[in-house]
Amino acid sequence: MDLSIGEVARRSGLSVHALRFYEREGLFANPVRRLSNGRRIYHEEDLEWLAICTKLRSSGMSLATIRQYIDLVRQGPGNEHERLELLRRHESHVETQIRELQETLDVMRNKVRIYEDHVARGEADRLWNPSHPDTAQAETRQECHPPEGA
């Protein structure tokens, strides 16, 4: 079934502009086909690839690396080990991002706990205040050294 660029945009969640960008950058697994009047036509497999491609992008894979991967795919059988190595490297990158985000989440949860405690005790004025340096030090101390069981 042929799909218009508008239909692909709607179903993929990407804008028409983004789809044109992906095409210009050579990020489609198959070349985008065109009708005699120049209108782009897509197929279901293009949507499937876009779903993978957008996950690769949102996970931090560079356009150059996606292009490298898609070039390997287009070459066909025989380079599966190269594709696997590329995907493993990116998997490692994503795992590192997740660890870093988990550390950030831990800091944010601790900060929320500090604010909740201060607000509940009616001591919100003791929270970080640039005009009172001791409040900044106290809050930082609590963030770096949370109480036992926090």
Side-chain angles (χ1 to χ4, degrees):
M1 176 173 127
D2 291 348
L3 304 168
S4 70
I5 195 168
E7 179 67 12
V8 171
R10 187 185 67 72
R11 289 181 55 189
S12 69
L14 295 169
S15 68
V16 168
H17 175 76
L19 291 170
R20 289 179 182 140
F21 173 79
Y22 274 47
E23 180 184 0
R24 275 193 315 274
E25 292 295 317
L27 300 179
F28 278 92
N30 298 307
V32 175
R33 293 158 297 280
R34 292 182 184 257
L35 298 173
S36 58
N37 63 5
R39 291 183 61 178
R40 294 168 176 85
I41 55 168
Y42 301 86
H43 296 284
E44 289 296 324
E45 58 269 9
D46 295 320
L47 279 170
E48 292 167 15
W49 168 248
L50 282 170
I52 293 167
C53 191
T54 55
K55 290 298 181 195
L56 294 175
R57 280 298 294 144
S58 69
S59 67
M61 186 179 277
S62 70
L63 292 176
T65 303
I66 294 173
R67 225 177 278 113
Q68 180 184 2
Y69 176 73
I70 200 63
D71 286 345
L72 290 169
V73 169
R74 285 180 190 142
Q75 290 171 20
N79 60 23
E80 291 81 7
H81 291 290
E82 291 173 71
R83 292 185 224 173
L84 178 59
E85 184 54 35
L86 184 148
L87 292 170
R88 280 185 175 151
R89 278 193 312 269
H90 189 65
E91 177 184 43
S92 177
H93 170 77
V94 170
E95 287 170 343
T96 298
Q97 285 181 299
I98 290 170
R99 277 192 304 278
E100 290 171 355
L101 283 170
Q102 186 60 55
E103 290 170 9
T104 300
L105 180 59
D106 292 345
V107 168
M108 294 311 304
R109 284 182 174 154
N110 189 44
K111 191 146 187 77
V112 165
R113 185 196 53 76
I114 290 167
Y115 272 72
E116 286 173 342
D117 290 349
H118 278 75
V119 169
R121 291 191 316 257
E123 298 174 353
D125 60 329
R126 293 190 180 176
L127 292 167
W128 195 311
N129 181 339
S131 60
H132 294 92
D134 354 330
T135 62
Q137 290 174 350
E139 188 173 333
T140 303
R141 221 176 5 263
Q142 284 180 309
E143 288 174 0
C144 296
H145 307 286
E148 293 289 322

